[in-house]
Amino acid sequence: QSPAEVYAYPNYDTMMVFGDSITQFGNSVDRGGFVARLANYYQRQMDVINRGFSQYNASGALGIARNVFPKTASPVYSRSAAPAKSKPSSALWPLRDSNFPKSSSKLQLCILFFGTNDALAPSHPRANPIDSYYHAMHSLVALLRDSNSKHYSPETRIIIVTPPPVGELMLAEPTLTNARTSAYAQMAKRVATEVGAPYVDVFAEIQARVKQDQANGNVTGEYDGYDKYFGDGIHPNFHGNS
């Protein structure tokens, strides 16, 4: 086949959410998953890719990132690769409709959402010392920002999300605390500031909602109000994903 006869399906640009089980469960419609919400909001504009890996901390994520991030050398669709004019008009689908993209997909946005497993008690096998978390988060960003990286993508915008708080009284074992998780949330914001990326402070946002519920007398039960936002003390439920 000549270059003019090579078919390349034109995909929408993409947004990737790379995180742990909170991200993995983010596709759950029953939980009102935040990744599913993003996919719904951006339909016909951008494809949302869920790369959530249960039990992974930031250092573990760095170990698999080369199999997660697209490589810069991946084939790029161009108009010169479009079907020849001699092809039937149906072969041009979906290029014939302005609602469809006309180029191969690019990773326009990468959301990095790690910290919960990192913040586990030091004796836990998935715990990650905070300095290791810091360096791993920097390294994940560098894979997309470093011009020497095979994944270099200067067009990709990056957002860093802090780990959320935890419902300590909901946990079967005291493996996570808000005091420890808060330190990792602060570190996530520090990394974002240092690399010039925006961040979403989920920790502070949910904590503020819980404190407001407590102040308004809207808390019932034995979990200090965290059960309104978490199903198990760690993974957000419908309200927590809102």
Side-chain angles (χ1 to χ4, degrees):
Q1 286 183 319
S2 67
E5 295 177 323
V6 174
Y7 284 86
Y9 190 87
N11 297 310
Y12 290 101
D13 284 345
T14 59
M15 170 196 309
M16 178 187 293
V17 189
F18 189 19
D20 50 33
S21 59
I22 295 175
T23 297
Q24 182 175 327
F25 298 163
N27 271 5
S28 171
V29 177
D30 293 339
R31 298 171 185 255
F34 76 99
V35 182
R37 290 170 185 251
L38 287 171
N40 180 62
Y41 184 84
Y42 284 100
Q43 59 181 302
R44 296 205 313 174
Q45 303 174 63
M46 189 177 295
D47 288 335
V48 179
I49 302 173
N50 186 324
R51 291 294 181 265
F53 295 86
S54 177
Q55 302 186 11
Y56 273 71
N57 59 30
S59 294
L62 182 61
I64 63 171
R66 291 168 178 79
N67 295 318
V68 173
F69 292 151
K71 290 183 173 60
T72 304
S74 59
V76 175
Y77 177 88
S78 65
R79 291 181 184 274
S80 63
K85 290 184 178 180
S86 60
K87 298 291 183 181
S89 61
S90 61
L92 298 177
W93 186 92
L95 294 181
R96 60 184 178 178
D97 193 313
S98 61
N99 286 326
F100 292 92
K102 296 177 174 61
S103 62
S104 69
S105 64
K106 296 178 182 178
L107 182 60
Q108 294 286 5
L109 176 63
C110 180
I111 300 174
L112 298 175
F113 192 177
F114 292 98
T116 295
N117 287 312
D118 302 81
L120 285 161
S123 60
H124 197 284
R126 294 199 299 275
N128 198 16
I130 198 162
D131 58 336
S132 296
Y133 171 74
Y134 169 81
H135 291 297
M137 293 295 288
H138 260 286
S139 296
L140 286 170
V141 172
L143 284 175
L144 296 172
R145 293 271 182 89
D146 186 348
S147 60
N148 293 316
S149 169
K150 292 181 179 179
H151 309 276
Y152 177 56
S153 182
E155 295 178 344
T156 301
R157 289 165 291 178
I158 297 171
I159 296 176
I160 293 178
V161 182
T162 73
V166 295
E168 296 179 19
L169 298 178
M170 301 177 69
L171 303 179
E173 298 180 5
T175 53
L176 271 172
T177 66
N178 280 319
R180 186 169 168 83
T181 304
S182 176
Y184 284 77
Q186 293 299 319
M187 187 61 77
K189 293 191 293 182
R190 174 182 167 184
V191 172
T193 300
E194 291 177 352
V195 301
Y199 61 79
V200 179
D201 194 347
V202 175
F203 186 95
E205 177 64 26
I206 295 182
Q207 281 289 74
R209 293 187 188 185
V210 171
K211 298 302 182 185
Q212 189 63 51
D213 289 341
Q214 293 172 346
N216 293 339
N218 295 329
V219 172
T220 59
E222 56 185 311
Y223 301 121
D224 288 344
Y226 286 91
D227 52 324
K228 180 178 178 180
Y229 302 98
F230 298 94
D232 57 4
I234 297 174
H235 301 94
N237 57 19
F238 192 90
H239 288 289
N241 277 299
S242 298

